[in-house]
Amino acid sequence: MSSFGKIALLIDGSNLYATSKALGFDIDYRRLLSEFQSRGTLLRALYYTTVEDQEFSSIRPLIDWLDYNGYTVVTKLTKEFVDASTGRRKVRGSMDVDLAVSAMELAEHVDQIVLFSGDGNFRSLVESLQRRGVRVTVLSTLSTQPPMIADDLRRQADVFIDLAELKPRVGRNPVDLPASREVRQPPQFLARGTIKRDDRVE
């Protein structure tokens, strides 16, 4: 497989989860790392998600596993509010700004950013990264009805990868242990800290 230089993965967690579920499979995050390590020098893999409660979140096992196995996890507590028109309790949370800030900070240190999201709000971010000389690959799917990716985001990307095509390489084998049982494995990839132009993380 051809190399694309220094790569950073930016994963919109809730969007990737919804996309894989719509396609009928679970992501194997260990295989996902390996897939993109084979494409270049993987400097960072950042996973963004909101949580309702830091200690008792239902996705805590996944967050812990990712944090111990090569991903930098960025979380934010959701905000609860009451809808004035209906009186119903609602929960709101978005990591879009956090992801965009990280992308701009990484732009001068990488050759390619892989954005795992179909959210059309990221089109202007992709355009801005491209103006800085960064190649942007967007990963989502057109294989669902309706598609999980906004058309303007897909058109703006340098490369679009349909997650359905990656299923054989990044899908979780149903007989594998769940992530929650793998939490205690030591870190294997991606040292944290200040990124320098010559950083290499094998």
Side-chain angles (χ1 to χ4, degrees):
M1 193 172 292
S2 59
S3 172
F4 290 108
K6 295 175 183 175
I7 303 172
L9 310 183
L10 299 181
I11 301 171
D12 177 347
S14 61
N15 196 285
L16 178 59
Y17 175 81
T19 302
S20 67
K21 285 300 181 188
L23 291 170
F25 73 97
D26 293 323
I27 300 291
D28 182 327
Y29 286 95
R30 188 190 310 280
R31 296 179 73 196
L32 183 68
L33 267 190
S34 296
E35 173 66 25
F36 285 92
Q37 285 174 324
S38 73
R39 298 180 181 223
T41 302
L42 185 57
L43 289 185
R44 290 287 181 273
L46 296 111
Y47 184 96
Y48 301 82
T49 188
T50 57
V51 292
E52 288 195 44
D53 185 300
Q54 287 284 19
E55 294 301 318
F56 303 104
S57 170
S58 61
I59 63 168
R60 172 55 57 191
L62 172 63
I63 291 171
D64 288 342
W65 188 91
L66 292 171
D67 201 42
Y68 279 101
N69 288 276
Y71 291 83
T72 300
V73 180
V74 183
T75 62
K76 181 191 292 182
L77 285 173
T78 55
K79 291 182 170 58
E80 185 177 321
F81 68 101
V82 176
D83 188 314
S85 61
T86 65
R88 291 184 177 171
R89 171 189 171 270
K90 291 193 174 180
V91 175
R92 177 170 49 204
S94 173
M95 299 297 293
D96 291 4
V97 172
D98 304 74
L99 189 153
V101 169
S102 295
M104 298 310 291
E105 290 175 344
L106 284 165
E108 65 182 277
H109 305 288
V110 298
D111 303 299
Q112 180 181 192
I113 284 178
V114 183
L115 174 63
F116 291 73
S117 183
D119 188 338
N121 290 333
F122 289 126
R123 190 207 63 77
S124 58
L125 169 65
V126 171
E127 186 178 29
S128 182
L129 290 167
Q130 290 167 331
R131 285 197 298 267
R132 287 162 172 76
V134 178
R135 179 183 176 87
V136 181
T137 294
V138 171
L139 196 145
S140 185
T141 190
L142 288 167
S143 302
T144 55
Q145 287 299 326
M148 297 293 286
I149 185 166
D151 191 57
D152 55 349
L153 176 63
R154 181 180 60 83
R155 291 173 183 273
Q156 186 67 49
D158 294 296
V159 176
F160 168 70
I161 299 176
D162 197 306
L163 183 60
E165 296 170 12
L166 281 185
K167 179 180 177 180
R169 298 200 291 275
V170 304
R172 179 176 289 280
N173 186 326
V175 301
D176 286 348
L177 292 172
S180 59
R181 295 186 185 175
E182 299 171 329
V183 165
R184 297 190 180 277
Q185 295 197 4
Q188 298 174 12
F189 313 105
L190 304 178
R192 292 191 177 92
T194 305
I195 308 169
K196 299 188 174 75
R197 172 61 76 173
D198 297 325
D199 276 356
R200 290 182 61 87
V201 181
E202 304 288 59

